[in-house]
Amino acid sequence: MRRLILALCLTSLPVSAIAQNAAAPSAEAALSAEAAAIKSHVMFLASDAMRGREAGSPEYDIAAQYVAAQFFAAGLKPGGEKGTYAQQVPLVAYKPDGQGTLSITGPAGQTALAFGTDYIPSANPRATETNVSAPVVFVGYGIVAPQYGRDDYRGVDVKGKIVAFVSGSPSKMTGEERAWLGSPTTKARFAAERGAVGTITLVTPRSDKQRPFARLVEANGHTRMTWANADGTGHVEEGGIPTLATLSLSGAQKLFAGARTPWAKVAREADKADASFKAEALPTALAVTTKTQFDKAQSSNVVSVLPGSDPALAREVVVLSAHLDHVGVSGKADDKIHNGALDNAIGIASLIEEAKRFQKEGATKRTILFLAVTAEEKGLIGSDYFANHPTVPADSIIANVNLDMPILTYKFEDMVAFGGDRSTLGPIIRRAVEGAGVALSPDPIPDEGIFVRSDHFRFVQKGVPSVFLWPGQKGPGKAAVEHFLSTNYHKPSDDLSQPIQWEEGVRFVDVNYRIARDIADAPSRPVWNKGDYFGTLFKGPMGQ
């Protein structure tokens, strides 16, 4: 009923609430029909009335209904649950409940650490209260990467222990692999596989410069989100081992009291871009108690299908995805609504227009699934839920092409395909990009690890060759991208007041359409390049 009332209320809103910042009709008279269609979707989805489309909000639900209606109008079949376009995603919102307690027992006796000065507790999405007491083992970065000759657990036994690791990852890795291996979630997985009972992250002088501990303290009370298991607990990717706390420089100093390697030496080494540490059992034990506050939420992915035409290949599915959610309403300024025009209303608009083009130009041999996901901004939650609960047979998904935050404020001269060179999608992408009259460029910001930071990566984790494209940084691109990321990214100013070039959206849709159609009509399914790190790690189909 609440959703119905909100939907009815929208019809009585003044036009300014739906189309704020839109140019006067005369200013847009030159737009092609395709560009006008893209803009019309963004005008609705990024309007103030949608209040930032936060996952779990009524406004997100209205946006999802809009996308479902557009899929219906494009002639797509429902691909969700019970003959609908919706896949319900049960969510768990959680955050630390209080300060918790953390004490160290070492050669000098027991020491209680101070919240906000020595440590901040981590919330545990699987339990309202977490109690862990165990000896501590320091494992450097906490990374296991045989291809780089690195095993930070070499020489130590962590079974039944708490592992402590410094944040970050070595510089002598590709940006994509650094981002994956440096994630606390990945590090917790390595620890769990070796029998550890919890993890502690240590702030270093290097990491403290990049993100001061004081900022971590301020953010500690923020709500996190994951999807709910059948028993109502939050899904934990690392298999259940709790991340217990983050220790500041002062907290780490106390943890290393009496250690063979003094903390000062560890901190100096951690200042190096490619630090090397020796794992060691510390002469200290930790007793940690934390509490977690929970709240249930519900959202939905929007799923539609264009069935394939080939009797043999139609069971194989190419997924085209984009995230529908944004970050909602927050801040202290007069304008608190994070409209999310480029992130990612324009990605959803591109997905809708791509669907219309497929319907217009005829079915492909393979089936295409169009997926608008929720809670990307919460940690790729909606796509993770779909990847673990697909509405089609899991083994039928052969590729994913993801549309996320194309920055279309300039006439792009090249494109970047994140992850495109890791599989046989590479030649398909090059044909599509060059066929549209632009160049294909390498990743201009490899240290950002973009490949692991959007929804397509949830398909990669299931072994599926995947890619997502951005307009590149040739010509005016570099300045435009830097301006957006520094000025408008995740801010209320990501709205229709930006100089969005809607005809560039038509070009962006065209390239993605070419890629998807080529994949869907190709004689063979894509495979990972032989020996590719992620293809090997996640056991995807491998080329010879």
Side-chain angles (χ1 to χ4, degrees), residues 303-304 316-322 351 354 367-373 386 390 392 394 396-403 455-456 459 464-467 516 519-520:
V303 193
S304 64
E316 295 183 348
V317 179
V318 179
V319 176
L320 307 185
S321 60
L351 186 69
E354 202 168 336
T367 295
I368 298 182
L369 185 145
F370 296 84
L371 176 65
V373 297
F386 182 88
V392 294
S396 70
I397 299 174
I398 66 159
N400 171 239
V401 181
N402 188 42
L403 309 170
D455 290 303
H456 65 284
F459 292 92
V464 177
S466 305
V467 66
I519 298 169

PDB file of all heavy atoms in Angstrom, residues 303-304 316-322 351 354 367-373 386 390 392 394 396-403 455-456 459 464-467 516 519-520:
ATOM      1  N   VAL A 303      14.475  -8.288 -13.997  1.00  0.00           N
ATOM      2  CA  VAL A 303      15.023  -9.293 -14.907  1.00  0.00           C
ATOM      3  C   VAL A 303      14.073  -9.508 -16.075  1.00  0.00           C
ATOM      4  O   VAL A 303      12.873  -9.715 -15.879  1.00  0.00           O
ATOM      5  CB  VAL A 303      15.254 -10.646 -14.186  1.00  0.00           C
ATOM      6  CG1 VAL A 303      16.111 -11.569 -15.042  1.00  0.00           C
ATOM      7  CG2 VAL A 303      15.875 -10.450 -12.805  1.00  0.00           C
ATOM      8  N   SER A 304      14.615  -9.463 -17.282  1.00  0.00           N
ATOM      9  CA  SER A 304      13.812  -9.755 -18.464  1.00  0.00           C
ATOM     10  C   SER A 304      14.641 -10.559 -19.449  1.00  0.00           C
ATOM     11  O   SER A 304      15.878 -10.589 -19.373  1.00  0.00           O
ATOM     12  CB  SER A 304      13.317  -8.471 -19.124  1.00  0.00           C
ATOM     13  OG  SER A 304      14.416  -7.711 -19.598  1.00  0.00           O
ATOM     14  N   GLU A 316      21.933 -21.213 -23.936  1.00  0.00           N
ATOM     15  CA  GLU A 316      23.044 -20.416 -23.425  1.00  0.00           C
ATOM     16  C   GLU A 316      22.603 -18.958 -23.306  1.00  0.00           C
ATOM     17  O   GLU A 316      21.895 -18.435 -24.166  1.00  0.00           O
ATOM     18  CB  GLU A 316      24.262 -20.541 -24.335  1.00  0.00           C
ATOM     19  CG  GLU A 316      24.820 -21.957 -24.369  1.00  0.00           C
ATOM     20  CD  GLU A 316      26.079 -22.075 -25.213  1.00  0.00           C
ATOM     21  OE1 GLU A 316      26.408 -21.136 -25.951  1.00  0.00           O
ATOM     22  OE2 GLU A 316      26.731 -23.138 -25.127  1.00  0.00           O
ATOM     23  N   VAL A 317      23.048 -18.291 -22.234  1.00  0.00           N
ATOM     24  CA  VAL A 317      22.523 -16.970 -21.888  1.00  0.00           C
ATOM     25  C   VAL A 317      23.653 -15.946 -21.788  1.00  0.00           C
ATOM     26  O   VAL A 317      24.663 -16.181 -21.102  1.00  0.00           O
ATOM     27  CB  VAL A 317      21.757 -17.015 -20.546  1.00  0.00           C
ATOM     28  CG1 VAL A 317      21.237 -15.633 -20.173  1.00  0.00           C
ATOM     29  CG2 VAL A 317      20.609 -18.019 -20.623  1.00  0.00           C
ATOM     30  N   VAL A 318      23.472 -14.828 -22.468  1.00  0.00           N
ATOM     31  CA  VAL A 318      24.361 -13.671 -22.337  1.00  0.00           C
ATOM     32  C   VAL A 318      23.643 -12.653 -21.448  1.00  0.00           C
ATOM     33  O   VAL A 318      22.511 -12.255 -21.745  1.00  0.00           O
ATOM     34  CB  VAL A 318      24.674 -13.049 -23.709  1.00  0.00           C
ATOM     35  CG1 VAL A 318      25.583 -11.833 -23.545  1.00  0.00           C
ATOM     36  CG2 VAL A 318      25.318 -14.078 -24.630  1.00  0.00           C
ATOM     37  N   VAL A 319      24.269 -12.248 -20.365  1.00  0.00           N
ATOM     38  CA  VAL A 319      23.654 -11.310 -19.423  1.00  0.00           C
ATOM     39  C   VAL A 319      24.168  -9.899 -19.702  1.00  0.00           C
ATOM     40  O   VAL A 319      25.379  -9.661 -19.754  1.00  0.00           O
ATOM     41  CB  VAL A 319      23.966 -11.692 -17.962  1.00  0.00           C
ATOM     42  CG1 VAL A 319      23.393 -10.653 -16.998  1.00  0.00           C
ATOM     43  CG2 VAL A 319      23.410 -13.075 -17.644  1.00  0.00           C
ATOM     44  N   LEU A 320      23.247  -8.971 -19.892  1.00  0.00           N
ATOM     45  CA  LEU A 320      23.559  -7.549 -19.975  1.00  0.00           C
ATOM     46  C   LEU A 320      23.059  -6.905 -18.686  1.00  0.00           C
ATOM     47  O   LEU A 320      21.884  -7.030 -18.344  1.00  0.00           O
ATOM     48  CB  LEU A 320      22.881  -6.902 -21.182  1.00  0.00           C
ATOM     49  CG  LEU A 320      23.128  -7.563 -22.540  1.00  0.00           C
ATOM     50  CD1 LEU A 320      22.495  -6.730 -23.654  1.00  0.00           C
ATOM     51  CD2 LEU A 320      24.607  -7.747 -22.804  1.00  0.00           C
ATOM     52  N   SER A 321      23.934  -6.217 -17.968  1.00  0.00           N
ATOM     53  CA  SER A 321      23.579  -5.737 -16.631  1.00  0.00           C
ATOM     54  C   SER A 321      23.899  -4.263 -16.450  1.00  0.00           C
ATOM     55  O   SER A 321      24.757  -3.693 -17.134  1.00  0.00           O
ATOM     56  CB  SER A 321      24.315  -6.552 -15.564  1.00  0.00           C
ATOM     57  OG  SER A 321      25.724  -6.443 -15.726  1.00  0.00           O
ATOM     58  N   ALA A 322      23.189  -3.662 -15.499  1.00  0.00           N
ATOM     59  CA  ALA A 322      23.453  -2.293 -15.051  1.00  0.00           C
ATOM     60  C   ALA A 322      22.819  -2.151 -13.670  1.00  0.00           C
ATOM     61  O   ALA A 322      21.810  -2.798 -13.383  1.00  0.00           O
ATOM     62  CB  ALA A 322      22.870  -1.263 -16.015  1.00  0.00           C
ATOM     63  N   LEU A 351      20.742   0.354 -21.068  1.00  0.00           N
ATOM     64  CA  LEU A 351      20.259  -1.028 -21.054  1.00  0.00           C
ATOM     65  C   LEU A 351      18.870  -1.118 -21.685  1.00  0.00           C
ATOM     66  O   LEU A 351      18.596  -2.028 -22.488  1.00  0.00           O
ATOM     67  CB  LEU A 351      20.230  -1.533 -19.611  1.00  0.00           C
ATOM     68  CG  LEU A 351      19.876  -3.008 -19.391  1.00  0.00           C
ATOM     69  CD1 LEU A 351      20.998  -3.910 -19.905  1.00  0.00           C
ATOM     70  CD2 LEU A 351      19.634  -3.284 -17.904  1.00  0.00           C
ATOM     71  N   GLU A 354      19.154  -0.543 -25.426  1.00  0.00           N
ATOM     72  CA  GLU A 354      19.759  -1.718 -26.046  1.00  0.00           C
ATOM     73  C   GLU A 354      18.717  -2.818 -26.213  1.00  0.00           C
ATOM     74  O   GLU A 354      18.662  -3.496 -27.247  1.00  0.00           O
ATOM     75  CB  GLU A 354      20.937  -2.199 -25.191  1.00  0.00           C
ATOM     76  CG  GLU A 354      21.943  -3.034 -25.960  1.00  0.00           C
ATOM     77  CD  GLU A 354      23.232  -3.269 -25.192  1.00  0.00           C
ATOM     78  OE1 GLU A 354      23.565  -2.456 -24.295  1.00  0.00           O
ATOM     79  OE2 GLU A 354      23.905  -4.260 -25.493  1.00  0.00           O
ATOM     80  N   THR A 367      20.127 -16.779 -25.978  1.00  0.00           N
ATOM     81  CA  THR A 367      19.200 -15.972 -25.181  1.00  0.00           C
ATOM     82  C   THR A 367      19.949 -14.810 -24.546  1.00  0.00           C
ATOM     83  O   THR A 367      21.103 -14.954 -24.121  1.00  0.00           O
ATOM     84  CB  THR A 367      18.554 -16.844 -24.095  1.00  0.00           C
ATOM     85  OG1 THR A 367      17.735 -17.842 -24.730  1.00  0.00           O
ATOM     86  CG2 THR A 367      17.701 -16.028 -23.137  1.00  0.00           C
ATOM     87  N   ILE A 368      19.300 -13.665 -24.484  1.00  0.00           N
ATOM     88  CA  ILE A 368      19.877 -12.510 -23.794  1.00  0.00           C
ATOM     89  C   ILE A 368      19.011 -12.177 -22.584  1.00  0.00           C
ATOM     90  O   ILE A 368      17.788 -12.090 -22.685  1.00  0.00           O
ATOM     91  CB  ILE A 368      19.983 -11.288 -24.724  1.00  0.00           C
ATOM     92  CG1 ILE A 368      20.910 -11.608 -25.896  1.00  0.00           C
ATOM     93  CG2 ILE A 368      20.523 -10.080 -23.958  1.00  0.00           C
ATOM     94  CD1 ILE A 368      21.128 -10.465 -26.844  1.00  0.00           C
ATOM     95  N   LEU A 369      19.667 -12.013 -21.454  1.00  0.00           N
ATOM     96  CA  LEU A 369      18.979 -11.657 -20.208  1.00  0.00           C
ATOM     97  C   LEU A 369      19.384 -10.240 -19.833  1.00  0.00           C
ATOM     98  O   LEU A 369      20.576  -9.921 -19.741  1.00  0.00           O
ATOM     99  CB  LEU A 369      19.341 -12.644 -19.105  1.00  0.00           C
ATOM    100  CG  LEU A 369      18.615 -12.497 -17.762  1.00  0.00           C
ATOM    101  CD1 LEU A 369      18.376 -13.868 -17.134  1.00  0.00           C
ATOM    102  CD2 LEU A 369      19.411 -11.618 -16.790  1.00  0.00           C
ATOM    103  N   PHE A 370      18.395  -9.385 -19.647  1.00  0.00           N
ATOM    104  CA  PHE A 370      18.615  -7.987 -19.264  1.00  0.00           C
ATOM    105  C   PHE A 370      18.384  -7.865 -17.758  1.00  0.00           C
ATOM    106  O   PHE A 370      17.306  -8.206 -17.266  1.00  0.00           O
ATOM    107  CB  PHE A 370      17.671  -7.073 -20.037  1.00  0.00           C
ATOM    108  CG  PHE A 370      17.922  -7.085 -21.528  1.00  0.00           C
ATOM    109  CD1 PHE A 370      17.355  -8.070 -22.313  1.00  0.00           C
ATOM    110  CD2 PHE A 370      18.725  -6.133 -22.125  1.00  0.00           C
ATOM    111  CE1 PHE A 370      17.586  -8.107 -23.687  1.00  0.00           C
ATOM    112  CE2 PHE A 370      18.957  -6.162 -23.499  1.00  0.00           C
ATOM    113  CZ  PHE A 370      18.388  -7.154 -24.277  1.00  0.00           C
ATOM    114  N   LEU A 371      19.390  -7.362 -17.052  1.00  0.00           N
ATOM    115  CA  LEU A 371      19.383  -7.394 -15.592  1.00  0.00           C
ATOM    116  C   LEU A 371      19.698  -6.019 -15.017  1.00  0.00           C
ATOM    117  O   LEU A 371      20.784  -5.481 -15.204  1.00  0.00           O
ATOM    118  CB  LEU A 371      20.429  -8.404 -15.102  1.00  0.00           C
ATOM    119  CG  LEU A 371      20.657  -8.542 -13.597  1.00  0.00           C
ATOM    120  CD1 LEU A 371      19.417  -9.089 -12.907  1.00  0.00           C
ATOM    121  CD2 LEU A 371      21.860  -9.455 -13.335  1.00  0.00           C
ATOM    122  N   ALA A 372      18.718  -5.429 -14.330  1.00  0.00           N
ATOM    123  CA  ALA A 372      18.923  -4.181 -13.587  1.00  0.00           C
ATOM    124  C   ALA A 372      19.000  -4.549 -12.108  1.00  0.00           C
ATOM    125  O   ALA A 372      18.019  -5.036 -11.538  1.00  0.00           O
ATOM    126  CB  ALA A 372      17.779  -3.202 -13.839  1.00  0.00           C
ATOM    127  N   VAL A 373      20.156  -4.327 -11.491  1.00  0.00           N
ATOM    128  CA  VAL A 373      20.370  -4.852 -10.144  1.00  0.00           C
ATOM    129  C   VAL A 373      20.275  -3.760  -9.084  1.00  0.00           C
ATOM    130  O   VAL A 373      20.512  -2.580  -9.339  1.00  0.00           O
ATOM    131  CB  VAL A 373      21.737  -5.566 -10.016  1.00  0.00           C
ATOM    132  CG1 VAL A 373      21.791  -6.768 -10.934  1.00  0.00           C
ATOM    133  CG2 VAL A 373      22.884  -4.616 -10.299  1.00  0.00           C
ATOM    134  N   PHE A 386      22.006 -12.346  -7.459  1.00  0.00           N
ATOM    135  CA  PHE A 386      21.612 -12.992  -8.712  1.00  0.00           C
ATOM    136  C   PHE A 386      22.616 -14.074  -9.107  1.00  0.00           C
ATOM    137  O   PHE A 386      22.223 -15.166  -9.540  1.00  0.00           O
ATOM    138  CB  PHE A 386      21.499 -11.966  -9.843  1.00  0.00           C
ATOM    139  CG  PHE A 386      21.060 -12.581 -11.146  1.00  0.00           C
ATOM    140  CD1 PHE A 386      19.718 -12.721 -11.451  1.00  0.00           C
ATOM    141  CD2 PHE A 386      22.000 -13.040 -12.067  1.00  0.00           C
ATOM    142  CE1 PHE A 386      19.306 -13.319 -12.637  1.00  0.00           C
ATOM    143  CE2 PHE A 386      21.606 -13.633 -13.256  1.00  0.00           C
ATOM    144  CZ  PHE A 386      20.253 -13.773 -13.538  1.00  0.00           C
ATOM    145  N   PRO A 390      20.576 -17.443  -9.577  1.00  0.00           N
ATOM    146  CA  PRO A 390      20.154 -17.010 -10.912  1.00  0.00           C
ATOM    147  C   PRO A 390      18.760 -17.519 -11.250  1.00  0.00           C
ATOM    148  O   PRO A 390      18.353 -18.596 -10.805  1.00  0.00           O
ATOM    149  CB  PRO A 390      21.216 -17.617 -11.836  1.00  0.00           C
ATOM    150  CG  PRO A 390      21.745 -18.799 -11.075  1.00  0.00           C
ATOM    151  CD  PRO A 390      21.703 -18.396  -9.625  1.00  0.00           C
ATOM    152  N   VAL A 392      17.921 -18.263 -14.203  1.00  0.00           N
ATOM    153  CA  VAL A 392      18.142 -19.222 -15.277  1.00  0.00           C
ATOM    154  C   VAL A 392      19.163 -20.222 -14.747  1.00  0.00           C
ATOM    155  O   VAL A 392      19.843 -19.947 -13.750  1.00  0.00           O
ATOM    156  CB  VAL A 392      18.659 -18.535 -16.564  1.00  0.00           C
ATOM    157  CG1 VAL A 392      17.601 -17.606 -17.149  1.00  0.00           C
ATOM    158  CG2 VAL A 392      19.959 -17.783 -16.309  1.00  0.00           C
ATOM    159  N   ALA A 394      22.387 -21.871 -13.722  1.00  0.00           N
ATOM    160  CA  ALA A 394      23.673 -21.196 -13.517  1.00  0.00           C
ATOM    161  C   ALA A 394      24.669 -21.531 -14.619  1.00  0.00           C
ATOM    162  O   ALA A 394      25.423 -20.659 -15.073  1.00  0.00           O
ATOM    163  CB  ALA A 394      24.239 -21.572 -12.150  1.00  0.00           C
ATOM    164  N   SER A 396      24.138 -22.054 -17.611  1.00  0.00           N
ATOM    165  CA  SER A 396      23.751 -21.546 -18.927  1.00  0.00           C
ATOM    166  C   SER A 396      24.316 -20.153 -19.193  1.00  0.00           C
ATOM    167  O   SER A 396      24.331 -19.698 -20.340  1.00  0.00           O
ATOM    168  CB  SER A 396      22.220 -21.497 -19.049  1.00  0.00           C
ATOM    169  OG  SER A 396      21.665 -20.474 -18.220  1.00  0.00           O
ATOM    170  N   ILE A 397      24.800 -19.461 -18.150  1.00  0.00           N
ATOM    171  CA  ILE A 397      25.305 -18.090 -18.304  1.00  0.00           C
ATOM    172  C   ILE A 397      26.734 -18.153 -18.847  1.00  0.00           C
ATOM    173  O   ILE A 397      27.634 -18.689 -18.198  1.00  0.00           O
ATOM    174  CB  ILE A 397      25.261 -17.337 -16.975  1.00  0.00           C
ATOM    175  CG1 ILE A 397      23.815 -17.242 -16.468  1.00  0.00           C
ATOM    176  CG2 ILE A 397      25.861 -15.939 -17.137  1.00  0.00           C
ATOM    177  CD1 ILE A 397      23.686 -16.632 -15.087  1.00  0.00           C
ATOM    178  N   ILE A 398      26.944 -17.609 -20.052  1.00  0.00           N
ATOM    179  CA  ILE A 398      28.243 -17.749 -20.712  1.00  0.00           C
ATOM    180  C   ILE A 398      29.032 -16.442 -20.767  1.00  0.00           C
ATOM    181  O   ILE A 398      30.244 -16.463 -21.030  1.00  0.00           O
ATOM    182  CB  ILE A 398      28.085 -18.301 -22.138  1.00  0.00           C
ATOM    183  CG1 ILE A 398      27.345 -17.287 -23.022  1.00  0.00           C
ATOM    184  CG2 ILE A 398      27.371 -19.652 -22.129  1.00  0.00           C
ATOM    185  CD1 ILE A 398      27.589 -17.494 -24.493  1.00  0.00           C
ATOM    186  N   ALA A 399      28.396 -15.298 -20.547  1.00  0.00           N
ATOM    187  CA  ALA A 399      29.105 -14.024 -20.617  1.00  0.00           C
ATOM    188  C   ALA A 399      28.269 -12.937 -19.951  1.00  0.00           C
ATOM    189  O   ALA A 399      27.046 -13.054 -19.851  1.00  0.00           O
ATOM    190  CB  ALA A 399      29.399 -13.638 -22.069  1.00  0.00           C
ATOM    191  N   ASN A 400      28.966 -11.890 -19.502  1.00  0.00           N
ATOM    192  CA  ASN A 400      28.292 -10.715 -18.947  1.00  0.00           C
ATOM    193  C   ASN A 400      28.920  -9.453 -19.529  1.00  0.00           C
ATOM    194  O   ASN A 400      30.144  -9.325 -19.569  1.00  0.00           O
ATOM    195  CB  ASN A 400      28.400 -10.680 -17.423  1.00  0.00           C
ATOM    196  CG  ASN A 400      27.901  -9.367 -16.822  1.00  0.00           C
ATOM    197  OD1 ASN A 400      28.647  -8.673 -16.145  1.00  0.00           O
ATOM    198  ND2 ASN A 400      26.658  -9.018 -17.074  1.00  0.00           N
ATOM    199  N   VAL A 401      28.066  -8.551 -19.997  1.00  0.00           N
ATOM    200  CA  VAL A 401      28.489  -7.224 -20.448  1.00  0.00           C
ATOM    201  C   VAL A 401      27.792  -6.220 -19.537  1.00  0.00           C
ATOM    202  O   VAL A 401      26.564  -6.167 -19.493  1.00  0.00           O
ATOM    203  CB  VAL A 401      28.120  -6.974 -21.920  1.00  0.00           C
ATOM    204  CG1 VAL A 401      28.600  -5.585 -22.350  1.00  0.00           C
ATOM    205  CG2 VAL A 401      28.715  -8.050 -22.825  1.00  0.00           C
ATOM    206  N   ASN A 402      28.575  -5.433 -18.808  1.00  0.00           N
ATOM    207  CA  ASN A 402      28.040  -4.575 -17.766  1.00  0.00           C
ATOM    208  C   ASN A 402      28.104  -3.106 -18.171  1.00  0.00           C
ATOM    209  O   ASN A 402      29.072  -2.660 -18.790  1.00  0.00           O
ATOM    210  CB  ASN A 402      28.845  -4.789 -16.478  1.00  0.00           C
ATOM    211  CG  ASN A 402      28.241  -4.092 -15.281  1.00  0.00           C
ATOM    212  OD1 ASN A 402      27.027  -4.108 -15.087  1.00  0.00           O
ATOM    213  ND2 ASN A 402      29.080  -3.472 -14.484  1.00  0.00           N
ATOM    214  N   LEU A 403      27.061  -2.344 -17.824  1.00  0.00           N
ATOM    215  CA  LEU A 403      26.969  -0.919 -18.147  1.00  0.00           C
ATOM    216  C   LEU A 403      26.952  -0.133 -16.838  1.00  0.00           C
ATOM    217  O   LEU A 403      25.950  -0.122 -16.126  1.00  0.00           O
ATOM    218  CB  LEU A 403      25.683  -0.633 -18.935  1.00  0.00           C
ATOM    219  CG  LEU A 403      25.415  -1.518 -20.161  1.00  0.00           C
ATOM    220  CD1 LEU A 403      23.998  -1.289 -20.678  1.00  0.00           C
ATOM    221  CD2 LEU A 403      26.427  -1.236 -21.246  1.00  0.00           C
ATOM    222  N   ASP A 455      29.481  -4.598 -11.019  1.00  0.00           N
ATOM    223  CA  ASP A 455      28.647  -5.796 -10.925  1.00  0.00           C
ATOM    224  C   ASP A 455      29.132  -6.970 -11.764  1.00  0.00           C
ATOM    225  O   ASP A 455      28.879  -8.127 -11.420  1.00  0.00           O
ATOM    226  CB  ASP A 455      27.208  -5.453 -11.320  1.00  0.00           C
ATOM    227  CG  ASP A 455      26.520  -4.579 -10.289  1.00  0.00           C
ATOM    228  OD1 ASP A 455      26.453  -4.987  -9.119  1.00  0.00           O
ATOM    229  OD2 ASP A 455      26.050  -3.490 -10.648  1.00  0.00           O
ATOM    230  N   HIS A 456      29.811  -6.701 -12.871  1.00  0.00           N
ATOM    231  CA  HIS A 456      30.276  -7.803 -13.705  1.00  0.00           C
ATOM    232  C   HIS A 456      31.206  -8.734 -12.924  1.00  0.00           C
ATOM    233  O   HIS A 456      31.310  -9.923 -13.241  1.00  0.00           O
ATOM    234  CB  HIS A 456      31.008  -7.261 -14.934  1.00  0.00           C
ATOM    235  CG  HIS A 456      32.258  -6.531 -14.583  1.00  0.00           C
ATOM    236  ND1 HIS A 456      32.249  -5.263 -14.058  1.00  0.00           N
ATOM    237  CD2 HIS A 456      33.553  -6.909 -14.628  1.00  0.00           C
ATOM    238  CE1 HIS A 456      33.492  -4.892 -13.810  1.00  0.00           C
ATOM    239  NE2 HIS A 456      34.301  -5.875 -14.147  1.00  0.00           N
ATOM    240  N   PHE A 459      29.925 -11.996 -11.678  1.00  0.00           N
ATOM    241  CA  PHE A 459      29.880 -13.075 -12.663  1.00  0.00           C
ATOM    242  C   PHE A 459      31.271 -13.667 -12.859  1.00  0.00           C
ATOM    243  O   PHE A 459      31.419 -14.880 -13.026  1.00  0.00           O
ATOM    244  CB  PHE A 459      29.307 -12.553 -13.980  1.00  0.00           C
ATOM    245  CG  PHE A 459      27.855 -12.182 -13.887  1.00  0.00           C
ATOM    246  CD1 PHE A 459      27.475 -10.886 -13.569  1.00  0.00           C
ATOM    247  CD2 PHE A 459      26.867 -13.136 -14.085  1.00  0.00           C
ATOM    248  CE1 PHE A 459      26.135 -10.545 -13.460  1.00  0.00           C
ATOM    249  CE2 PHE A 459      25.526 -12.806 -13.969  1.00  0.00           C
ATOM    250  CZ  PHE A 459      25.159 -11.510 -13.658  1.00  0.00           C
ATOM    251  N   VAL A 464      32.580 -16.710 -15.155  1.00  0.00           N
ATOM    252  CA  VAL A 464      31.978 -16.246 -16.409  1.00  0.00           C
ATOM    253  C   VAL A 464      32.825 -15.122 -17.011  1.00  0.00           C
ATOM    254  O   VAL A 464      33.035 -14.095 -16.353  1.00  0.00           O
ATOM    255  CB  VAL A 464      30.537 -15.744 -16.161  1.00  0.00           C
ATOM    256  CG1 VAL A 464      29.938 -15.184 -17.446  1.00  0.00           C
ATOM    257  CG2 VAL A 464      29.665 -16.867 -15.605  1.00  0.00           C
ATOM    258  N   PRO A 465      33.312 -15.255 -18.249  1.00  0.00           N
ATOM    259  CA  PRO A 465      34.031 -14.148 -18.895  1.00  0.00           C
ATOM    260  C   PRO A 465      33.149 -12.901 -18.954  1.00  0.00           C
ATOM    261  O   PRO A 465      31.993 -12.972 -19.380  1.00  0.00           O
ATOM    262  CB  PRO A 465      34.323 -14.700 -20.298  1.00  0.00           C
ATOM    263  CG  PRO A 465      34.349 -16.184 -20.127  1.00  0.00           C
ATOM    264  CD  PRO A 465      33.286 -16.470 -19.094  1.00  0.00           C
ATOM    265  N   SER A 466      33.688 -11.767 -18.514  1.00  0.00           N
ATOM    266  CA  SER A 466      32.872 -10.564 -18.347  1.00  0.00           C
ATOM    267  C   SER A 466      33.680  -9.325 -18.689  1.00  0.00           C
ATOM    268  O   SER A 466      34.912  -9.329 -18.660  1.00  0.00           O
ATOM    269  CB  SER A 466      32.367 -10.467 -16.900  1.00  0.00           C
ATOM    270  OG  SER A 466      31.668 -11.625 -16.503  1.00  0.00           O
ATOM    271  N   VAL A 467      32.946  -8.238 -18.967  1.00  0.00           N
ATOM    272  CA  VAL A 467      33.585  -6.990 -19.335  1.00  0.00           C
ATOM    273  C   VAL A 467      32.645  -5.834 -19.056  1.00  0.00           C
ATOM    274  O   VAL A 467      31.425  -6.012 -19.007  1.00  0.00           O
ATOM    275  CB  VAL A 467      33.963  -6.989 -20.842  1.00  0.00           C
ATOM    276  CG1 VAL A 467      32.723  -7.016 -21.718  1.00  0.00           C
ATOM    277  CG2 VAL A 467      34.856  -5.804 -21.201  1.00  0.00           C
ATOM    278  N   ALA A 516      27.334  -7.329 -27.555  1.00  0.00           N
ATOM    279  CA  ALA A 516      26.384  -8.338 -27.080  1.00  0.00           C
ATOM    280  C   ALA A 516      25.845  -9.190 -28.229  1.00  0.00           C
ATOM    281  O   ALA A 516      25.714 -10.414 -28.094  1.00  0.00           O
ATOM    282  CB  ALA A 516      25.237  -7.648 -26.346  1.00  0.00           C
ATOM    283  N   ILE A 519      28.542 -11.671 -29.333  1.00  0.00           N
ATOM    284  CA  ILE A 519      28.656 -12.789 -28.389  1.00  0.00           C
ATOM    285  C   ILE A 519      27.491 -13.761 -28.572  1.00  0.00           C
ATOM    286  O   ILE A 519      27.670 -14.988 -28.600  1.00  0.00           O
ATOM    287  CB  ILE A 519      28.673 -12.282 -26.937  1.00  0.00           C
ATOM    288  CG1 ILE A 519      29.874 -11.380 -26.684  1.00  0.00           C
ATOM    289  CG2 ILE A 519      28.696 -13.464 -25.951  1.00  0.00           C
ATOM    290  CD1 ILE A 519      29.810 -10.630 -25.362  1.00  0.00           C
ATOM    291  N   ALA A 520      26.299 -13.202 -28.691  1.00  0.00           N
ATOM    292  CA  ALA A 520      25.089 -14.032 -28.743  1.00  0.00           C
ATOM    293  C   ALA A 520      24.961 -14.816 -30.043  1.00  0.00           C
ATOM    294  O   ALA A 520      24.262 -15.834 -30.085  1.00  0.00           O
ATOM    295  CB  ALA A 520      23.860 -13.160 -28.537  1.00  0.00           C
TER     296      ALA A 520
END
